[in-house]
Amino acid sequence: MSDTTANGVDGTGLVDLSGVSVFVGGPIQHAIQQDGFHEPLRHAIHDVIETVTTVNGTVFSAHVAEKFGIDTPLFSPDQVSVRDFGWMRRCDVFVPVLPTDADGELMRTDGTHIELGWASALGKPIVVVTPTPMAANASHLLRGLPSVADVSVFDLTEAREDPAGLLLLLSKVGREVVMSE
């Protein structure tokens, strides 16, 4: 990840996400492999979380709660559903991280797609972090979501290499929500 300072991330010293809650989602069950959690995804989600918390944002993350798959078996489906829906209701912005595999196809993530539906229905702004252009195997509903919801797509590589743009976008959409409450 890029250099971070107490004032922000690479030139975003004026960005402060204090009071903004960000729900960071993405694959868990289909990212757990025999040798552990899918490392590129772990790093990408970690970087997004660190970027948000560096500028005082609050993060909700099943990846953190479940220790990137280590504790996933300790949670029942009911617990996960109640927890994640509660986070969705409380967050200001939903940020699903949707990685691709070696073939350029989106990694399967049934839960994140449920969360995208919740975010849309609840009127939450969504910032999808994924390789751009979006993978060819992305469903029509995922590709068409911007026609019915407040959706921005941010390139995953750019988010990891230079998080300033992601922070500026999160600040814009997050502050709009916080100011309207």
Side-chain angles (χ1 to χ4, degrees), residues 4 38 65 79 101 112 130 139 169 181:
T4 59
H38 185 265
Q79 290 170 317
D101 61 21
T112 307
T130 193
S139 71
L169 178 57
E181 293 177 347

Side-chain angles (χ1 to χ4, degrees), residues 133-174:
M134 193 173 285
N137 72 319
S139 71
H140 278 23
L141 287 175
L142 180 58
R143 290 175 175 278
L145 197 56
S147 350
V148 297
D150 180 2
V151 179
S152 302
V153 178
F154 199 88
D155 184 69
L156 177 59
T157 301
E158 187 177 337
R160 297 203 62 217
E161 291 177 358
D162 182 18
L166 178 60
L167 274 180
L168 291 170
L169 178 57
L170 291 176
S171 179
K172 178 185 180 300
V173 299

Side-chain angles (χ1 to χ4, degrees), residues 28 32 37 62-76 79-80 83:
I28 293 182
I32 299 170
F37 199 85
H63 296 87
V64 172
E66 297 176 23
K67 297 180 184 164
F68 286 90
I70 293 171
D71 286 351
T72 297
L74 303 177
F75 291 87
S76 72
Q79 290 170 317
V80 170
R83 177 197 67 203

Side-chain angles (χ1 to χ4, degrees), residues 20-71:
V20 176
S21 297
V22 178
F23 181 175
V24 177
I28 293 182
Q29 287 178 301
H30 294 282
I32 299 170
Q33 303 168 334
Q34 286 185 338
D35 59 345
F37 199 85
H38 185 265
E39 280 303 309
L41 177 58
R42 175 196 300 270
H43 292 298
I45 289 174
H46 176 269
D47 288 353
V48 170
I49 291 169
E50 184 177 312
T51 296
V52 171
T53 58
T54 296
V55 294
N56 307 311
T58 298
V59 172
F60 304 128
S61 168
H63 296 87
V64 172
E66 297 176 23
K67 297 180 184 164
F68 286 90
I70 293 171
D71 286 351

